[in-house]
Each structure stands twice: as C-alpha cells, then as structure tokens.
Amino acid sequence: MKNQPTSPRRQRNREATIQNILNTARTIMREEGVAALSMQELARRMDMRAPSLYNYFSGKAEIYDTLFRVGFTRYDEHIKGLMKASTSWHDELRINIEGYMSFALENPELYQLCFEHPVPSFVPSQESLQVSFGILNRSYQRAERFKKELGTKLTGQQIVDTIIAISHGLTAMHISNEPHLPVGQGRFGSLIPVVLSILEKSMPIKGENN
Amino acid sequence: MKNQPTSPRRQRNREATIQNILNTARTIMREEGVAALSMQELARRMDMRAPSLYNYFSGKAEIYDTLFRVGFTRYDEHIKGLMKASTSWHDELRINIEGYMSFALENPELYQLCFEHPVPSFVPSQESLQVSFGILNRSYQRAERFKKELGTKLTGQQIVDTIIAISHGLTAMHISNEPHLPVGQGRFGSLIPVVLSILEKSMPIKGENN
DNA sequence: AGTTTTTACTAATTATATTAGTTATATGAT
DNA sequence: ATCATATAACTAATATAATTAGTAAAAACT
C-alpha cells in the first residue's frame, strides 16, 4: 500500500501518449467530422483497443472537453501573435476578422468544436467555459482602450460583439461554401475588405478625414 | 403481378404517417439536438419498432434530407410573408436580418439543419441543394432590383452575401448565447438596429440625406 | 374468394461507448 | 535478485444504435 511516486520517465511517457491521443483525435475530427470521433477508430489508429483509452480519459466527453480548452488557448495565441504587428485601431479590426477566419481555416476541427455546436451531447465543463470567458473578456478590455479614440456612440461591448458576429458570419459562410480557399479569397473571404470599410466608415477615428 | 393503384384512403393514411414521422423527428431534434435523432427513439414515440420506419423512409439520411427541404421552403415562406409589408430598401434590409433570426428562433431544429452543419454524416442530396440554391438566387435577383437606387460600388452579390453573413453571425451568436430571448433583445439581438444603421450609412439611398 | 400490396413484426448483423475484471510489465524498495 | 505495487494493456460483457432479411397479418382490389 505504499504510494509510489510516479517516475519522471513514466510521467513523460504518459504525457506523450495523451498528446498522441489528442492529436489523433483531431486528425479523425478533421477527416471525418467533429462529431464522428469514435473511441474505436481512435483506438484503431493508436494501435490499441478502445477500453485502453479509458486509462487516459474518462470518455469521449473528456477528450472533447480537453480539445475545447486547447482550441481556445490556441485561438488566443493565434490572435495575440498577429496582434503584435498592429499599430492602429484599423489594424486591430482587420486582424480580429482575418485572424478569426485564418484560425478556422488552419484548425477546422478546433474551430468547429469551440465556435459551432457540432456535438449535441457535448457541453463544455465549467472550467473549460471559464477559459473561454477569460479570453473573450480580454477582448472586451482591449476594445475599451480604443473606444475613446473612436467617433461612435457604441459601447465597448457592442463594438466587440459586432466584430465577433461579423467575423463569425463571414467565417461560417466561407467554411461551408469554399473551405479550400485561403483567407481573403472567394465569395465571403473577399468580403473582409468590404465589411472593414463599412465598419471604418461608421466608426471613424477622431481627427482623421474619412 | 397486377399493378394495383393505391387507394386514395391508403395514400392519405400513408401521407399522414409520413407527416407524423417528420413532425416527431423535429420534436426529437428540438429536444435532444439535431444530430441526436435516433430511429429507435423516433419509433418509440411513434409506437412502432424501428424497422417499420423503413417502410416510409430509406433511412435516417432521407429523413434529414426531407427536413432540409422543408426547412428551406419554410424559410422562404417566412421571409416572403414578412416582405409583403416592405415598402423600401431599408425595410427589406431589416426584414432580411430580423427574418433570418426569427426563423431560427421559431424553428431551431430546421435552422440548424439548413444553416449549420450539425450532422457530419448528412450531406444534402442534389435535389435538395437545388431547392436551397433556387431560394438563394431569388434573393440575389431581388437585391439587383434595388442596387441602382443605392449609392454603393458593391455588386448585387456582394450586398446579399454581406447581409447573409451578418444575419448568420448575429443569429448564430444569439442562439448559442441567449436562445430564450426574442428577436431584437439580448447582447446580439439588440445589435440588429446597430448593424442596420451601419449598413444604411455605407449604402445610402440616392437623393436622400443621411 | 383469391390475389396483391401494404404494413407491421421478429431476428440477425454490425458498430458503438462504456464497465468490470484480468494479466503482464516496468519501477522502486529491500 | 526478489518482491510488492502501480501502470497499462488486454478480453469479456452490457447496452444501444442503424440497417437488412424474412415473415405474418390485414387491407384492398378483382
């Protein structure tokens, strides 16, 4: 009954297996659809039997939930990385919309899991929702900082929500119609500059001529 | 081997059963999620055994496909009904966006089936896609008629696609955040007037002062 | 009354998620 | 080197699902 502390090597091994499972799950979701993930197929590709997976995850729900957190974390990093190059409100606007779409195109399975509802039985856990709220809230705060520069009566939240809705709308349409085309191209991708100019016109920067 | 023509009564009965199945399927989809529709549950609620359903539909896919067509047809009627009251381009714009959202709220299961991708295994048949394209195309034509009145460089298709994307974005966000609130209310519902004024500002009506 | 069609059924096949119980092995302590 | 334990795999079993095949009763037409 001695509580042996797990050896570092074993822990690394276990961690590696878990990452392997998650990546394999993502591959399946990308190839066959998010909701088509099956423990059998996952085990098959891992050269395992399905029950063995339960040594690493309590079930399919926990795999989805983990990937939900991975998705939001990656999305956050994705946007943060692009944001570094930003110098103006207009830049931020463009980066938010393009970044949303490029994230969706580069990680379709994570995008769907996080921003659409492809698995009716899956509801993110409280902790996972906290993660997503935290990321969204930082977006709000960022917008608040710019608000005073803008000639608009909208609140910070209204600005962010509008941008989110438009990003999501363009992305969802792009993905369901022309998922093979890169950001900025195709029927909906090419609308990004259009909506940007519409938004900029309605939220002009104080002191500039638009 | 005589080919007996089916009696009118039998045909009515059969038609009634089919409608019953479709309505029961919609109820299940509304209650448990679009992708959670199961032949077993469907049969259970119809007081049948699952295999009996195959006398009416070739399988779950055909049920989805039929409801896909029902959804687009209903959507078309929904918008057409609201459009009757329209007198101006601004009206059309508002009705399109509000109509999209009210349709989604009143028929969440049809909305998801038609405008989201909740069932990875389900791909609409060619005929069903024709129905949906036909309805969309009429939208394009309607926009073209208004285009010459507008002070905008956008093409008719760009106008319609922008409106679709925005309608969809607002609706998807509304549904996933506050599905219980009616059109026009809540974080995203209340953004409808906001985006309308943004759009109207960027696509002014010729000869009017905006 | 007899034939055909319709409609429901049961039984069987295949695939799925998950649990329980078992066994082999790697690790750490003696 | 040996023993105990924790880990990680396995097989077997349960329950549910979609679908197919084959069958039996009833309805409807001739």
Side-chain angles (χ1 to χ4, degrees), chain A residues 176-177, chain B residues 22 25-26 29 34 37 57 60-76 103 109-119 122-135:
Chain A
S176 68
N177 287 287
Chain B
L22 291 175
R26 287 179 62 183
M29 289 157 72
V34 173
L37 176 65
F57 293 95
K60 217 162 61 153
E62 200 187 349
I63 295 178
Y64 280 133
D65 200 53
T66 307
L67 288 178
F68 180 89
R69 257 171 293 131
V70 169
F72 266 96
T73 309
R74 291 281 172 87
Y75 170 70
D76 195 33
F103 177 76
E109 76 289 358
L110 296 182
Y111 162 72
Q112 285 172 48
L113 186 63
C114 295
F115 300 117
E116 311 208 321
H117 291 151
V119 189
F122 163 60
V123 181
S125 64
Q126 278 306 313
E127 301 98 304
S128 298
L129 283 176
Q130 289 310 319
V131 172
S132 69
F133 288 154
I135 288 164

Side-chain angles (χ1 to χ4, degrees), chain A residues 1-2 6 10 14 49 51-52 55-56:
Chain A
M1 276 285 178
K2 270 171 285 184
T6 31
R10 263 199 172 168
R14 187 181 173 78
R49 308 302 154 112
S52 303
N55 283 320
Y56 302 97

Side-chain angles (χ1 to χ4, degrees), chain B residues 1-2 6 10 14 49 52 55-56:
Chain B
M1 274 286 179
K2 270 170 288 182
T6 31
R10 263 198 171 167
R14 186 181 175 79
R49 308 303 155 111
S52 304
N55 283 319
Y56 301 97

Side-chain angles (χ1 to χ4, degrees), chain A residues 101-102 104-106 108 111-112 170-183 185-189, chain B residues 117:
Chain A
M101 196 180 283
S102 60
L105 288 171
E106 289 163 27
Y111 161 72
Q112 285 172 47
L170 287 175
T171 300
M173 288 294 145
H174 181 85
I175 293 254
S176 68
N177 287 287
E178 303 161 326
H180 50 287
L181 292 182
V183 176
Q185 289 184 25
R187 248 177 79 192
F188 291 95
Chain B
H117 291 151

Side-chain angles (χ1 to χ4, degrees), chain A residues 35-73:
Chain A
L37 176 64
S38 101
M39 299 301 271
Q40 320 272 340
E41 177 65 16
L42 185 50
R44 214 171 294 135
R45 299 205 194 195
M46 292 288 300
D47 292 312
M48 278 181 173
R49 308 302 154 112
S52 303
L53 294 169
Y54 289 75
N55 283 320
Y56 302 97
F57 293 96
S58 65
K60 217 161 62 151
E62 199 187 351
I63 295 178
Y64 279 133
D65 199 54
T66 306
L67 288 177
F68 180 89
R69 258 171 291 133
V70 169
F72 266 96
T73 309

